[in-house]
Amino acid sequence: MLAEQAQLPANESDLRHKAQRDIFHRRFSAEPHAVRGALRASVARFARQISQEEAGALELVLAEVLNNIVEHSYAGGSEGVISLSIVRDLSGLSCAISDDGVPLPEGCLTPPNLPEIAVATAQLPEGGFGWYLIHDLTQDLGYRREDKQNLLAFRLPIGAPQNC
Amino acid sequence: MKLTAEASGGALVVSLGEARLDAAIAIQFKDRMREMLLQPSPRVVLDLSGVGFLDSSGLGAIVSVMKGLGPERKLELRGLTPNVEKVFRLTRMDSVFSIQPQAHQSGLRDAG
């Protein structure tokens, strides 16, 4: 009995504090400077709980996903809104991103090969790295199209919680 | 965008004074670099020591700048911070560019 009680949070304020530390949610317009702001805020939220390298991977993956939405899903056109949620759990960060743009092409969900780089300088690829990086750095990448919305979800593995 | 160029040791050294080379400034970066590289210099060094974040749009812009130099001129990179170096490594682009080793190895400490 006593042991069970000891595992319960001391009070509601502790619970709220924990939720604020472990969950990030933001809605923002699909344009590059708003994306920058969301990236900065999401990395800042988890900065004390993850290593610098993990923070770098988080920012890179989110940047690739969000840039794709700005450039392709909304095609740089009319004002779109992106919703980003991140939840910290014991083994990583679960991320979910939704938008109301055009459906994601099916090919994006297949892990791609790197573009061919053993070529003459003039033929070097300038794109095609984004989805490679997303697949390379994430786990359990999943996609759903529902009610004219795109929902992309994935996990970023993170080491054991750090004591700060 | 903060981009400065100076001639040094037979090379044109261009320093990017932006914390991020990302989708928000990639096109502007390409355009400004193209203007700067009108100055004739066989070697061009791009100093990225102030850049803490690079995404695939920024990487594509750097590739584009190198292609714009043509076959006779080389683009060398220096001052890659850890996050930037990682993007080059993950995409294997570290094998395409000539990357100067870091002058100081900061962060290496003897834990013992």
Side-chain angles (χ1 to χ4, degrees), chain A residues 32-33 36 39 53 56-57 59-60 63-64 67 71 114 117 121-126 129-130 132-133 136-137, chain B residues 20 22-25 30 53-57 59-60 63-64 66-67 83 86-87 90-93 95-96:
Chain A
H33 289 279
R36 272 188 175 185
L39 290 174
E53 193 181 351
E59 185 165 15
L60 180 58
E64 298 302 337
N67 291 341
E71 289 165 27
L114 267 178
I117 57 171
T121 303
Q123 267 83 52
L124 279 173
E126 293 173 34
F129 299 110
Y132 176 84
L133 291 169
D136 194 53
L137 294 169
Chain B
R20 309 170 66 84
D22 61 8
I25 65 163
K30 266 194 276 192
F53 181 75
L54 175 77
D55 65 12
S56 67
S57 304
L59 177 67
V63 174
S64 166
M66 177 162 79
K67 289 162 76 169
N83 280 342
K86 186 175 179 179
V87 175
L90 290 175
T91 57
R92 314 270 191 274
M93 275 292 172
S95 65
V96 168

mmCIF file of all heavy atoms in Angstrom, chain A residues 32-33 36 39 53 56-57 59-60 63-64 67 71 114 117 121-126 129-130 132-133 136-137, chain B residues 20 22-25 30 53-57 59-60 63-64 66-67 83 86-87 90-93 95-96:
data_model
loop_
_atom_site.group_PDB
_atom_site.id
_atom_site.type_symbol
_atom_site.label_atom_id
_atom_site.label_comp_id
_atom_site.label_asym_id
_atom_site.label_seq_id
_atom_site.Cartn_x
_atom_site.Cartn_y
_atom_site.Cartn_z
ATOM 1 N N PRO A 32 8.375 29.789 -44.063
ATOM 2 C CA PRO A 32 9.694 29.450 -43.510
ATOM 3 C C PRO A 32 10.021 30.091 -42.165
ATOM 4 O O PRO A 32 10.640 29.451 -41.314
ATOM 5 C CB PRO A 32 10.660 29.927 -44.595
ATOM 6 C CG PRO A 32 9.873 29.849 -45.861
ATOM 7 C CD PRO A 32 8.467 30.187 -45.485
ATOM 8 N N HIS A 33 9.598 31.354 -41.948
ATOM 9 C CA HIS A 33 9.996 31.985 -40.691
ATOM 10 C C HIS A 33 9.189 31.462 -39.509
ATOM 11 O O HIS A 33 9.711 31.347 -38.394
ATOM 12 C CB HIS A 33 9.966 33.508 -40.818
ATOM 13 C CG HIS A 33 11.079 34.001 -41.700
ATOM 14 N ND1 HIS A 33 12.357 34.166 -41.238
ATOM 15 C CD2 HIS A 33 11.107 34.274 -43.030
ATOM 16 C CE1 HIS A 33 13.142 34.545 -42.240
ATOM 17 N NE2 HIS A 33 12.402 34.615 -43.347
ATOM 18 N N ARG A 36 10.830 28.250 -38.598
ATOM 19 C CA ARG A 36 12.003 28.504 -37.754
ATOM 20 C C ARG A 36 11.601 28.696 -36.292
ATOM 21 O O ARG A 36 12.231 28.163 -35.384
ATOM 22 C CB ARG A 36 12.718 29.774 -38.215
ATOM 23 C CG ARG A 36 13.746 29.563 -39.276
ATOM 24 C CD ARG A 36 14.496 30.859 -39.490
ATOM 25 N NE ARG A 36 15.593 30.691 -40.427
ATOM 26 C CZ ARG A 36 16.462 31.649 -40.707
ATOM 27 N NH1 ARG A 36 16.362 32.829 -40.119
ATOM 28 N NH2 ARG A 36 17.441 31.434 -41.560
ATOM 29 N N LEU A 39 10.618 25.399 -34.729
ATOM 30 C CA LEU A 39 11.797 24.559 -34.495
ATOM 31 C C LEU A 39 12.526 25.011 -33.239
ATOM 32 O O LEU A 39 12.892 24.218 -32.383
ATOM 33 C CB LEU A 39 12.758 24.636 -35.689
ATOM 34 C CG LEU A 39 12.288 23.972 -36.981
ATOM 35 C CD1 LEU A 39 13.281 24.254 -38.102
ATOM 36 C CD2 LEU A 39 12.149 22.475 -36.779
ATOM 37 N N GLU A 53 23.466 16.253 -29.435
ATOM 38 C CA GLU A 53 23.369 15.540 -30.707
ATOM 39 C C GLU A 53 21.912 15.165 -30.996
ATOM 40 O O GLU A 53 21.436 15.280 -32.122
ATOM 41 C CB GLU A 53 24.249 14.300 -30.678
ATOM 42 C CG GLU A 53 24.415 13.746 -32.072
ATOM 43 C CD GLU A 53 25.259 12.491 -32.128
ATOM 44 O OE1 GLU A 53 25.863 12.138 -31.112
ATOM 45 O OE2 GLU A 53 25.284 11.883 -33.217
ATOM 46 N N GLY A 56 20.088 18.116 -32.123
ATOM 47 C CA GLY A 56 20.410 18.392 -33.524
ATOM 48 C C GLY A 56 19.584 17.530 -34.462
ATOM 49 O O GLY A 56 19.069 17.999 -35.479
ATOM 50 N N ALA A 57 19.443 16.236 -34.099
ATOM 51 C CA ALA A 57 18.658 15.314 -34.928
ATOM 52 C C ALA A 57 17.184 15.716 -34.917
ATOM 53 O O ALA A 57 16.513 15.702 -35.953
ATOM 54 C CB ALA A 57 18.825 13.882 -34.431
ATOM 55 N N GLU A 59 15.902 18.704 -34.459
ATOM 56 C CA GLU A 59 15.699 19.919 -35.251
ATOM 57 C C GLU A 59 15.795 19.629 -36.746
ATOM 58 O O GLU A 59 15.008 20.146 -37.543
ATOM 59 C CB GLU A 59 16.716 20.984 -34.838
ATOM 60 C CG GLU A 59 16.479 22.305 -35.547
ATOM 61 C CD GLU A 59 17.208 23.479 -34.929
ATOM 62 O OE1 GLU A 59 18.116 23.259 -34.116
ATOM 63 O OE2 GLU A 59 16.862 24.620 -35.286
ATOM 64 N N LEU A 60 16.733 18.751 -37.115
ATOM 65 C CA LEU A 60 16.921 18.434 -38.534
ATOM 66 C C LEU A 60 15.704 17.696 -39.096
ATOM 67 O O LEU A 60 15.175 18.062 -40.156
ATOM 68 C CB LEU A 60 18.194 17.606 -38.714
ATOM 69 C CG LEU A 60 18.553 17.189 -40.135
ATOM 70 C CD1 LEU A 60 18.709 18.410 -41.041
ATOM 71 C CD2 LEU A 60 19.847 16.368 -40.146
ATOM 72 N N ALA A 63 12.736 19.983 -39.285
ATOM 73 C CA ALA A 63 12.928 20.967 -40.358
ATOM 74 C C ALA A 63 12.609 20.337 -41.714
ATOM 75 O O ALA A 63 11.915 20.937 -42.544
ATOM 76 C CB ALA A 63 14.365 21.492 -40.350
ATOM 77 N N GLU A 64 13.079 19.107 -41.933
ATOM 78 C CA GLU A 64 12.833 18.459 -43.224
ATOM 79 C C GLU A 64 11.345 18.210 -43.446
ATOM 80 O O GLU A 64 10.812 18.460 -44.532
ATOM 81 C CB GLU A 64 13.614 17.148 -43.324
ATOM 82 C CG GLU A 64 15.136 17.289 -43.254
ATOM 83 C CD GLU A 64 15.701 18.193 -44.339
ATOM 84 O OE1 GLU A 64 15.045 18.368 -45.379
ATOM 85 O OE2 GLU A 64 16.802 18.726 -44.136
ATOM 86 N N ASN A 67 9.579 21.717 -43.817
ATOM 87 C CA ASN A 67 9.902 22.353 -45.102
ATOM 88 C C ASN A 67 9.159 21.672 -46.243
ATOM 89 O O ASN A 67 8.710 22.330 -47.184
ATOM 90 C CB ASN A 67 11.407 22.285 -45.396
ATOM 91 C CG ASN A 67 12.216 23.174 -44.467
ATOM 92 O OD1 ASN A 67 11.675 24.095 -43.851
ATOM 93 N ND2 ASN A 67 13.506 22.901 -44.359
ATOM 94 N N GLU A 71 6.773 23.555 -48.845
ATOM 95 C CA GLU A 71 7.126 23.616 -50.267
ATOM 96 C C GLU A 71 6.242 22.738 -51.147
ATOM 97 O O GLU A 71 6.028 23.060 -52.318
ATOM 98 C CB GLU A 71 8.586 23.186 -50.455
ATOM 99 C CG GLU A 71 9.559 24.226 -49.932
ATOM 100 C CD GLU A 71 10.968 23.675 -49.779
ATOM 101 O OE1 GLU A 71 11.316 22.725 -50.500
ATOM 102 O OE2 GLU A 71 11.709 24.192 -48.923
ATOM 103 N N LEU A 114 20.110 7.130 -51.163
ATOM 104 C CA LEU A 114 20.705 8.447 -51.339
ATOM 105 C C LEU A 114 20.804 8.741 -52.829
ATOM 106 O O LEU A 114 21.030 7.820 -53.621
ATOM 107 C CB LEU A 114 22.120 8.458 -50.757
ATOM 108 C CG LEU A 114 22.296 8.914 -49.325
ATOM 109 C CD1 LEU A 114 23.757 8.814 -48.936
ATOM 110 C CD2 LEU A 114 21.811 10.345 -49.152
ATOM 111 N N ILE A 117 25.894 10.222 -55.942
ATOM 112 C CA ILE A 117 26.824 11.350 -55.824
ATOM 113 C C ILE A 117 28.185 11.066 -56.462
ATOM 114 O O ILE A 117 29.035 11.939 -56.521
ATOM 115 C CB ILE A 117 27.026 11.785 -54.350
ATOM 116 C CG1 ILE A 117 27.528 10.628 -53.495
ATOM 117 C CG2 ILE A 117 25.745 12.370 -53.780
ATOM 118 C CD1 ILE A 117 27.950 11.074 -52.103
ATOM 119 N N THR A 121 30.831 16.850 -61.157
ATOM 120 C CA THR A 121 30.294 17.953 -60.348
ATOM 121 C C THR A 121 29.015 18.539 -60.942
ATOM 122 O O THR A 121 28.046 18.795 -60.228
ATOM 123 C CB THR A 121 31.359 19.057 -60.216
ATOM 124 O OG1 THR A 121 32.524 18.472 -59.637
ATOM 125 C CG2 THR A 121 30.881 20.182 -59.325
ATOM 126 N N ALA A 122 29.015 18.719 -62.261
ATOM 127 C CA ALA A 122 27.858 19.362 -62.901
ATOM 128 C C ALA A 122 26.577 18.554 -62.733
ATOM 129 O O ALA A 122 25.479 19.093 -62.845
ATOM 130 C CB ALA A 122 28.144 19.602 -64.383
ATOM 131 N N GLN A 123 26.720 17.253 -62.462
ATOM 132 C CA GLN A 123 25.527 16.406 -62.324
ATOM 133 C C GLN A 123 25.143 16.147 -60.864
ATOM 134 O O GLN A 123 24.235 15.370 -60.590
ATOM 135 C CB GLN A 123 25.767 15.042 -62.985
ATOM 136 C CG GLN A 123 25.297 14.972 -64.437
ATOM 137 C CD GLN A 123 26.329 15.547 -65.366
ATOM 138 O OE1 GLN A 123 27.493 15.157 -65.309
ATOM 139 N NE2 GLN A 123 25.928 16.493 -66.199
ATOM 140 N N LEU A 124 25.850 16.772 -59.942
ATOM 141 C CA LEU A 124 25.553 16.500 -58.528
ATOM 142 C C LEU A 124 24.117 16.880 -58.180
ATOM 143 O O LEU A 124 23.607 17.886 -58.652
ATOM 144 C CB LEU A 124 26.513 17.296 -57.632
ATOM 145 C CG LEU A 124 27.892 16.697 -57.425
ATOM 146 C CD1 LEU A 124 28.775 17.686 -56.659
ATOM 147 C CD2 LEU A 124 27.824 15.376 -56.668
ATOM 148 N N PRO A 125 23.469 16.069 -57.342
ATOM 149 C CA PRO A 125 22.085 16.382 -56.959
ATOM 150 C C PRO A 125 22.030 17.548 -55.978
ATOM 151 O O PRO A 125 22.889 17.677 -55.112
ATOM 152 C CB PRO A 125 21.624 15.095 -56.263
ATOM 153 C CG PRO A 125 22.880 14.478 -55.735
ATOM 154 C CD PRO A 125 23.969 14.845 -56.693
ATOM 155 N N GLU A 126 21.016 18.410 -56.138
ATOM 156 C CA GLU A 126 20.838 19.526 -55.198
ATOM 157 C C GLU A 126 19.657 19.263 -54.285
ATOM 158 O O GLU A 126 19.353 20.034 -53.391
ATOM 159 C CB GLU A 126 20.632 20.844 -55.976
ATOM 160 C CG GLU A 126 21.867 21.246 -56.735
ATOM 161 C CD GLU A 126 21.640 22.439 -57.653
ATOM 162 O OE1 GLU A 126 20.845 23.330 -57.291
ATOM 163 O OE2 GLU A 126 22.243 22.462 -58.746
ATOM 164 N N PHE A 129 17.551 14.872 -50.587
ATOM 165 C CA PHE A 129 18.168 14.442 -49.330
ATOM 166 C C PHE A 129 17.183 14.454 -48.170
ATOM 167 O O PHE A 129 17.390 13.789 -47.160
ATOM 168 C CB PHE A 129 19.342 15.356 -48.966
ATOM 169 C CG PHE A 129 20.437 15.345 -49.980
ATOM 170 C CD1 PHE A 129 20.687 16.446 -50.774
ATOM 171 C CD2 PHE A 129 21.226 14.221 -50.141
ATOM 172 C CE1 PHE A 129 21.700 16.442 -51.709
ATOM 173 C CE2 PHE A 129 22.245 14.199 -51.077
ATOM 174 C CZ PHE A 129 22.477 15.311 -51.865
ATOM 175 N N GLY A 130 16.130 15.239 -48.296
ATOM 176 C CA GLY A 130 15.218 15.449 -47.173
ATOM 177 C C GLY A 130 14.584 14.170 -46.663
ATOM 178 O O GLY A 130 14.690 13.844 -45.474
ATOM 179 N N TYR A 132 15.454 11.152 -47.304
ATOM 180 C CA TYR A 132 16.494 10.223 -46.862
ATOM 181 C C TYR A 132 16.836 10.489 -45.389
ATOM 182 O O TYR A 132 16.906 9.572 -44.566
ATOM 183 C CB TYR A 132 17.743 10.357 -47.739
ATOM 184 C CG TYR A 132 18.861 9.478 -47.244
ATOM 185 C CD1 TYR A 132 18.924 8.142 -47.607
ATOM 186 C CD2 TYR A 132 19.825 9.977 -46.366
ATOM 187 C CE1 TYR A 132 19.920 7.307 -47.116
ATOM 188 C CE2 TYR A 132 20.827 9.156 -45.872
ATOM 189 C CZ TYR A 132 20.870 7.830 -46.249
ATOM 190 O OH TYR A 132 21.847 7.014 -45.752
ATOM 191 N N LEU A 133 17.025 11.765 -45.052
ATOM 192 C CA LEU A 133 17.370 12.123 -43.668
ATOM 193 C C LEU A 133 16.233 11.766 -42.714
ATOM 194 O O LEU A 133 16.463 11.261 -41.614
ATOM 195 C CB LEU A 133 17.685 13.626 -43.575
ATOM 196 C CG LEU A 133 18.982 14.073 -44.256
ATOM 197 C CD1 LEU A 133 19.057 15.595 -44.327
ATOM 198 C CD2 LEU A 133 20.203 13.527 -43.506
ATOM 199 N N ASP A 136 16.252 8.074 -42.241
ATOM 200 C CA ASP A 136 17.482 7.643 -41.582
ATOM 201 C C ASP A 136 17.456 7.929 -40.078
ATOM 202 O O ASP A 136 17.970 7.151 -39.284
ATOM 203 C CB ASP A 136 18.676 8.367 -42.223
ATOM 204 C CG ASP A 136 20.003 7.749 -41.835
ATOM 205 O OD1 ASP A 136 20.133 6.527 -42.008
ATOM 206 O OD2 ASP A 136 20.886 8.474 -41.349
ATOM 207 N N LEU A 137 16.851 9.032 -39.683
ATOM 208 C CA LEU A 137 16.949 9.466 -38.280
ATOM 209 C C LEU A 137 15.743 9.063 -37.435
ATOM 210 O O LEU A 137 15.775 9.219 -36.221
ATOM 211 C CB LEU A 137 17.132 10.997 -38.220
ATOM 212 C CG LEU A 137 18.456 11.519 -38.800
ATOM 213 C CD1 LEU A 137 18.416 13.041 -38.946
ATOM 214 C CD2 LEU A 137 19.629 11.131 -37.906
ATOM 215 N N ARG B 20 21.920 30.027 -39.145
ATOM 216 C CA ARG B 20 21.238 28.919 -39.824
ATOM 217 C C ARG B 20 21.347 29.081 -41.328
ATOM 218 O O ARG B 20 21.141 30.177 -41.847
ATOM 219 C CB ARG B 20 19.739 28.922 -39.456
ATOM 220 C CG ARG B 20 19.467 28.993 -37.989
ATOM 221 C CD ARG B 20 17.998 29.225 -37.745
ATOM 222 N NE ARG B 20 17.214 28.079 -38.175
ATOM 223 C CZ ARG B 20 17.008 27.017 -37.424
ATOM 224 N NH1 ARG B 20 17.500 26.956 -36.213
ATOM 225 N NH2 ARG B 20 16.298 26.009 -37.876
ATOM 226 N N ASP B 22 19.252 27.496 -43.943
ATOM 227 C CA ASP B 22 18.080 26.626 -44.043
ATOM 228 C C ASP B 22 17.160 27.077 -45.179
ATOM 229 O O ASP B 22 17.506 27.986 -45.941
ATOM 230 C CB ASP B 22 17.329 26.590 -42.699
ATOM 231 C CG ASP B 22 16.820 27.966 -42.284
ATOM 232 O OD1 ASP B 22 16.909 28.915 -43.087
ATOM 233 O OD2 ASP B 22 16.314 28.092 -41.151
ATOM 234 N N ALA B 23 15.998 26.454 -45.254
ATOM 235 C CA ALA B 23 15.063 26.738 -46.337
ATOM 236 C C ALA B 23 14.679 28.215 -46.394
ATOM 237 O O ALA B 23 14.374 28.744 -47.462
ATOM 238 C CB ALA B 23 13.807 25.874 -46.159
ATOM 239 N N ALA B 24 14.725 28.892 -45.230
ATOM 240 C CA ALA B 24 14.299 30.296 -45.206
ATOM 241 C C ALA B 24 15.268 31.194 -45.964
ATOM 242 O O ALA B 24 14.871 32.251 -46.474
ATOM 243 C CB ALA B 24 14.145 30.769 -43.755
ATOM 244 N N ILE B 25 16.542 30.816 -46.045
ATOM 245 C CA ILE B 25 17.503 31.715 -46.710
ATOM 246 C C ILE B 25 18.289 31.033 -47.834
ATOM 247 O O ILE B 25 19.188 31.634 -48.402
ATOM 248 C CB ILE B 25 18.500 32.344 -45.707
ATOM 249 C CG1 ILE B 25 19.405 31.289 -45.056
ATOM 250 C CG2 ILE B 25 17.780 33.159 -44.638
ATOM 251 C CD1 ILE B 25 20.640 31.920 -44.408
ATOM 252 N N LYS B 30 22.200 31.376 -52.289
ATOM 253 C CA LYS B 30 22.692 31.014 -53.630
ATOM 254 C C LYS B 30 22.922 32.268 -54.481
ATOM 255 O O LYS B 30 23.952 32.403 -55.127
ATOM 256 C CB LYS B 30 21.643 30.148 -54.346
ATOM 257 C CG LYS B 30 21.851 28.679 -54.191
ATOM 258 C CD LYS B 30 21.006 27.898 -55.192
ATOM 259 C CE LYS B 30 19.596 27.688 -54.707
ATOM 260 N NZ LYS B 30 18.834 26.721 -55.499
ATOM 261 N N PHE B 53 23.255 25.329 -37.763
ATOM 262 C CA PHE B 53 22.191 24.457 -38.284
ATOM 263 C C PHE B 53 22.143 24.511 -39.802
ATOM 264 O O PHE B 53 22.139 25.594 -40.405
ATOM 265 C CB PHE B 53 20.828 24.887 -37.721
ATOM 266 C CG PHE B 53 19.691 24.018 -38.205
ATOM 267 C CD1 PHE B 53 19.499 22.745 -37.692
ATOM 268 C CD2 PHE B 53 18.839 24.467 -39.204
ATOM 269 C CE1 PHE B 53 18.470 21.934 -38.157
ATOM 270 C CE2 PHE B 53 17.805 23.665 -39.679
ATOM 271 C CZ PHE B 53 17.623 22.400 -39.149
ATOM 272 N N LEU B 54 22.126 23.333 -40.413
ATOM 273 C CA LEU B 54 22.029 23.219 -41.874
ATOM 274 C C LEU B 54 20.948 22.184 -42.177
ATOM 275 O O LEU B 54 20.936 21.107 -41.580
ATOM 276 C CB LEU B 54 23.368 22.725 -42.433
ATOM 277 C CG LEU B 54 23.450 22.424 -43.935
ATOM 278 C CD1 LEU B 54 23.567 23.723 -44.740
ATOM 279 C CD2 LEU B 54 24.647 21.523 -44.259
ATOM 280 N N ASP B 55 20.026 22.493 -43.086
ATOM 281 C CA ASP B 55 19.061 21.465 -43.506
ATOM 282 C C ASP B 55 19.328 21.098 -44.966
ATOM 283 O O ASP B 55 20.290 21.588 -45.575
ATOM 284 C CB ASP B 55 17.613 21.925 -43.256
ATOM 285 C CG ASP B 55 17.222 23.124 -44.101
ATOM 286 O OD1 ASP B 55 17.960 23.478 -45.042
ATOM 287 O OD2 ASP B 55 16.162 23.715 -43.813
ATOM 288 N N SER B 56 18.479 20.235 -45.540
ATOM 289 C CA SER B 56 18.783 19.759 -46.892
ATOM 290 C C SER B 56 18.648 20.873 -47.925
ATOM 291 O O SER B 56 19.304 20.832 -48.960
ATOM 292 C CB SER B 56 17.898 18.569 -47.260
ATOM 293 O OG SER B 56 16.550 18.967 -47.385
ATOM 294 N N SER B 57 17.840 21.892 -47.639
ATOM 295 C CA SER B 57 17.758 23.036 -48.560
ATOM 296 C C SER B 57 19.075 23.804 -48.560
ATOM 297 O O SER B 57 19.561 24.231 -49.615
ATOM 298 C CB SER B 57 16.634 23.990 -48.146
ATOM 299 O OG SER B 57 15.417 23.317 -48.079
ATOM 300 N N LEU B 59 21.987 22.536 -47.734
ATOM 301 C CA LEU B 59 22.966 21.654 -48.369
ATOM 302 C C LEU B 59 22.848 21.763 -49.897
ATOM 303 O O LEU B 59 23.852 21.893 -50.606
ATOM 304 C CB LEU B 59 22.746 20.207 -47.926
ATOM 305 C CG LEU B 59 23.644 19.152 -48.558
ATOM 306 C CD1 LEU B 59 25.091 19.334 -48.099
ATOM 307 C CD2 LEU B 59 23.167 17.744 -48.232
ATOM 308 N N GLY B 60 21.627 21.731 -50.394
ATOM 309 C CA GLY B 60 21.404 21.856 -51.842
ATOM 310 C C GLY B 60 21.950 23.176 -52.374
ATOM 311 O O GLY B 60 22.499 23.232 -53.475
ATOM 312 N N VAL B 63 25.687 22.879 -52.718
ATOM 313 C CA VAL B 63 25.997 22.072 -53.908
ATOM 314 C C VAL B 63 25.837 22.921 -55.161
ATOM 315 O O VAL B 63 26.675 22.905 -56.072
ATOM 316 C CB VAL B 63 25.092 20.821 -53.979
ATOM 317 C CG1 VAL B 63 25.305 20.075 -55.291
ATOM 318 C CG2 VAL B 63 25.344 19.896 -52.802
ATOM 319 N N SER B 64 24.758 23.693 -55.193
ATOM 320 C CA SER B 64 24.483 24.542 -56.347
ATOM 321 C C SER B 64 25.594 25.566 -56.560
ATOM 322 O O SER B 64 26.020 25.827 -57.691
ATOM 323 C CB SER B 64 23.133 25.233 -56.129
ATOM 324 O OG SER B 64 22.964 26.276 -57.029
ATOM 325 N N MET B 66 28.711 25.211 -55.655
ATOM 326 C CA MET B 66 29.893 24.516 -56.176
ATOM 327 C C MET B 66 29.739 24.244 -57.672
ATOM 328 O O MET B 66 30.680 24.425 -58.444
ATOM 329 C CB MET B 66 30.132 23.202 -55.442
ATOM 330 C CG MET B 66 31.327 22.454 -56.030
ATOM 331 S SD MET B 66 31.975 21.197 -54.957
ATOM 332 C CE MET B 66 30.801 19.902 -55.245
ATOM 333 N N LYS B 67 28.545 23.832 -58.079
ATOM 334 C CA LYS B 67 28.328 23.559 -59.503
ATOM 335 C C LYS B 67 28.500 24.830 -60.332
ATOM 336 O O LYS B 67 29.024 24.800 -61.443
ATOM 337 C CB LYS B 67 26.937 22.963 -59.716
ATOM 338 C CG LYS B 67 26.846 21.540 -59.192
ATOM 339 C CD LYS B 67 25.436 21.090 -58.978
ATOM 340 C CE LYS B 67 24.705 20.740 -60.265
ATOM 341 N NZ LYS B 67 23.425 20.052 -59.969
ATOM 342 N N ASN B 83 26.611 19.839 -35.849
ATOM 343 C CA ASN B 83 25.336 19.581 -36.535
ATOM 344 C C ASN B 83 25.475 19.682 -38.048
ATOM 345 O O ASN B 83 24.846 18.925 -38.795
ATOM 346 C CB ASN B 83 24.264 20.578 -36.078
ATOM 347 C CG ASN B 83 23.658 20.202 -34.748
ATOM 348 O OD1 ASN B 83 23.783 19.053 -34.316
ATOM 349 N ND2 ASN B 83 23.015 21.148 -34.106
ATOM 350 N N LYS B 86 27.386 16.717 -39.429
ATOM 351 C CA LYS B 86 26.555 15.509 -39.433
ATOM 352 C C LYS B 86 25.716 15.420 -40.719
ATOM 353 O O LYS B 86 25.540 14.338 -41.279
ATOM 354 C CB LYS B 86 25.650 15.522 -38.202
ATOM 355 C CG LYS B 86 24.861 14.248 -38.034
ATOM 356 C CD LYS B 86 24.085 14.261 -36.732
ATOM 357 C CE LYS B 86 23.287 12.993 -36.578
ATOM 358 N NZ LYS B 86 22.546 12.962 -35.320
ATOM 359 N N VAL B 87 25.193 16.540 -41.179
ATOM 360 C CA VAL B 87 24.383 16.527 -42.402
ATOM 361 C C VAL B 87 25.247 16.114 -43.592
ATOM 362 O O VAL B 87 24.824 15.313 -44.433
ATOM 363 C CB VAL B 87 23.726 17.903 -42.645
ATOM 364 C CG1 VAL B 87 22.986 17.935 -43.975
ATOM 365 C CG2 VAL B 87 22.765 18.234 -41.497
ATOM 366 N N LEU B 90 25.860 12.242 -43.096
ATOM 367 C CA LEU B 90 24.693 11.379 -43.334
ATOM 368 C C LEU B 90 24.348 11.288 -44.818
ATOM 369 O O LEU B 90 23.860 10.268 -45.291
ATOM 370 C CB LEU B 90 23.470 11.907 -42.564
ATOM 371 C CG LEU B 90 23.493 11.791 -41.040
ATOM 372 C CD1 LEU B 90 22.265 12.467 -40.439
ATOM 373 C CD2 LEU B 90 23.552 10.338 -40.604
ATOM 374 N N THR B 91 24.573 12.380 -45.550
ATOM 375 C CA THR B 91 24.222 12.381 -46.971
ATOM 376 C C THR B 91 25.410 11.975 -47.844
ATOM 377 O O THR B 91 25.303 11.998 -49.069
ATOM 378 C CB THR B 91 23.765 13.784 -47.411
ATOM 379 O OG1 THR B 91 24.818 14.714 -47.125
ATOM 380 C CG2 THR B 91 22.498 14.219 -46.680
ATOM 381 N N ARG B 92 26.527 11.618 -47.194
ATOM 382 C CA ARG B 92 27.776 11.250 -47.879
ATOM 383 C C ARG B 92 28.361 12.411 -48.683
ATOM 384 O O ARG B 92 29.260 12.224 -49.491
ATOM 385 C CB ARG B 92 27.585 10.065 -48.833
ATOM 386 C CG ARG B 92 26.808 8.914 -48.261
ATOM 387 C CD ARG B 92 27.687 7.891 -47.565
ATOM 388 N NE ARG B 92 26.949 6.684 -47.248
ATOM 389 C CZ ARG B 92 26.233 6.518 -46.134
ATOM 390 N NH1 ARG B 92 26.157 7.498 -45.237
ATOM 391 N NH2 ARG B 92 25.591 5.391 -45.899
ATOM 392 N N MET B 93 27.830 13.591 -48.496
ATOM 393 C CA MET B 93 28.359 14.742 -49.229
ATOM 394 C C MET B 93 29.744 15.134 -48.716
ATOM 395 O O MET B 93 30.431 15.938 -49.334
ATOM 396 C CB MET B 93 27.387 15.924 -49.107
ATOM 397 C CG MET B 93 26.288 15.881 -50.132
ATOM 398 S SD MET B 93 26.999 16.158 -51.779
ATOM 399 C CE MET B 93 25.607 15.822 -52.811
ATOM 400 N N SER B 95 32.089 13.286 -48.919
ATOM 401 C CA SER B 95 33.038 12.705 -49.875
ATOM 402 C C SER B 95 33.134 13.536 -51.155
ATOM 403 O O SER B 95 34.014 13.320 -51.969
ATOM 404 C CB SER B 95 32.611 11.275 -50.224
ATOM 405 O OG SER B 95 31.373 11.297 -50.912
ATOM 406 N N VAL B 96 32.224 14.472 -51.323
ATOM 407 C CA VAL B 96 32.181 15.269 -52.544
ATOM 408 C C VAL B 96 32.952 16.587 -52.366
ATOM 409 O O VAL B 96 33.626 17.052 -53.276
ATOM 410 C CB VAL B 96 30.705 15.555 -52.922
ATOM 411 C CG1 VAL B 96 30.620 16.621 -53.994
ATOM 412 C CG2 VAL B 96 30.017 14.277 -53.374
#
